[in-house]
């Protein structure tokens, strides 16, 4: 997202390190980044501009382009700007919305299996997430697009809460699959359990961000 900037005649050109590759289905965090103050300022300004532009515009084609921003620019480009922002901030919340959509589109069948396993336990969250029945791969894709569209066309806090609810259902589904896998594949079960715990934390952060948005404090 940032180019190299000369620091003076004869000085070496500083290079910003890109984050490690993104593994959407596991919602892995990113590591490291040069000049955190500059990156943080740019992240907040870009997030504010994107949300303001999206919500001020009534053209559905503009919303479609915003929803597909990661498809065009690449998720890693968005991650470079937003992934290291505090979870309970506007850029941090936007990153999670785009990451969830990417995870769902990358492997909708797997996400559908997790959602199906978790929805019977978390029926309230299932309803809030708003996935059509039966929750197959295509329904999950539609849900992911509709949540991100809602961030620009509807109530931003509702989009965050829908994402949080979806995370909770997926987390329960992962925990269920982890229990089933543990006797035969302990390492796989461990990875699923870790991912489940991370998703619950993500849900909590998104819910807190939704409350902050309603108070006018999400920046």
């Amino acid at each position: 997202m940032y180019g190299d900037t000369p620091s003076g005649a004869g000085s070496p050109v500083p290079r910003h390190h890109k984050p490690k590759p993104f593994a959407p289905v596991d919602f892995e965090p990113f590591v490291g980044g040069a000049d955190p103050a500059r990156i943080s300022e740019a992240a907040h300004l870009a997030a504010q501009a994107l949300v303001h532009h999206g919500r001020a515009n009534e053209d559905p084609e503009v919303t479609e382009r915003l929803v597909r921003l990661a498809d065009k620019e690449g998720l890693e480009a968005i991650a470079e700007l937003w992934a290291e922002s505090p979870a309970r901030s506007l850029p941090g919340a936007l990153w999670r919305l785009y990451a969830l959509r990417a995870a769902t589109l990358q492997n909708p069948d797997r996400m559908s299996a997790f959602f199906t396993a978790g929805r019977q336990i978390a029926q309230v969250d299932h309803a809030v997430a708003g996935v059509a029945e039966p929750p197959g791969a295509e329904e999950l894709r539609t849900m992911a697009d509709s949540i991100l569209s809602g961030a620009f066309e509807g109530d931003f806090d509702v989009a965050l809460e829908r994402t949080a609810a979806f995370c909770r259902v997926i987390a329960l589904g992962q925990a269920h699959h982890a229990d089933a896998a543990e006797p035969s594949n302990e390492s796989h079960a461990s990875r699923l359990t870790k991912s489940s715990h991370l998703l619950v934390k993500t849900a909590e952060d998104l819910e807190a961000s939704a409350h902050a948005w309603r108070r006018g404090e999400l920046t």
Side-chain angles (χ1 to χ4, degrees):
M1 189 67 72
Y2 293 101
D4 294 334
T5 304
S7 59
S11 299
V13 177
R15 297 188 179 275
H16 297 287
H17 301 290
K18 291 185 177 181
K20 66 180 182 180
F22 179 61
V25 77
D26 294 323
F27 294 86
E28 292 290 347
F30 278 74
V31 173
D35 199 354
R38 179 186 174 190
I39 291 176
S40 177
E41 180 184 9
H44 283 78
L45 289 174
Q48 290 164 8
L50 187 74
V51 172
H52 175 76
H53 177 65
R55 295 177 63 76
N57 198 303
E58 297 181 358
D59 185 347
E61 291 186 3
V62 172
T63 301
E64 180 72 9
R65 287 198 296 271
L66 291 174
V67 168
R68 301 192 180 282
L69 181 65
D71 302 345
K72 179 181 178 181
E73 302 295 335
L75 191 68
E76 286 163 349
I78 295 177
E80 188 171 352
L81 186 59
W82 287 342
E84 293 193 39
S85 299
R88 301 183 182 190
S89 68
L90 184 58
L94 277 174
W95 161 242
R96 281 154 181 77
L97 294 184
Y98 279 105
L100 173 70
R101 178 178 178 274
T104 303
L105 297 187
Q106 179 169 322
N107 203 332
D109 292 316
R110 185 179 180 188
M111 296 293 276
S112 174
F114 291 149
F115 191 90
T116 298
R119 65 177 177 149
Q120 297 301 327
I121 305 169
Q123 294 192 11
V124 173
D125 287 318
H126 168 216
V128 173
V131 180
E133 294 290 343
E138 188 57 38
E139 288 74 21
L140 267 289
R141 292 190 192 97
T142 299
M143 181 279 310
D145 281 350
S146 73
I147 287 179
L148 196 48
S149 295
F152 303 114
E153 293 180 333
D155 295 321
F156 190 73
D157 55 325
V158 172
L160 297 180
E161 288 173 337
R162 286 185 66 192
T163 307
F166 183 76
C167 287
R168 289 187 181 280
V169 177
I170 294 294
L172 284 169
Q174 289 179 329
H176 175 80
H177 278 251
D179 290 342
E182 189 167 13
S184 59
N185 193 336
E186 188 174 342
S187 62
H188 178 57
S190 178
R191 288 194 299 272
L192 284 176
T193 299
K194 178 183 176 182
S195 183
S196 175
H197 291 162
L198 289 173
L199 276 179
V200 170
K201 178 61 168 60
T202 296
E204 292 170 349
D205 290 333
L206 289 168
E207 289 159 353
S209 295
H211 292 313
W213 175 268
R214 284 194 284 269
R215 296 192 303 266
E217 298 174 356
L218 188 67
T219 60

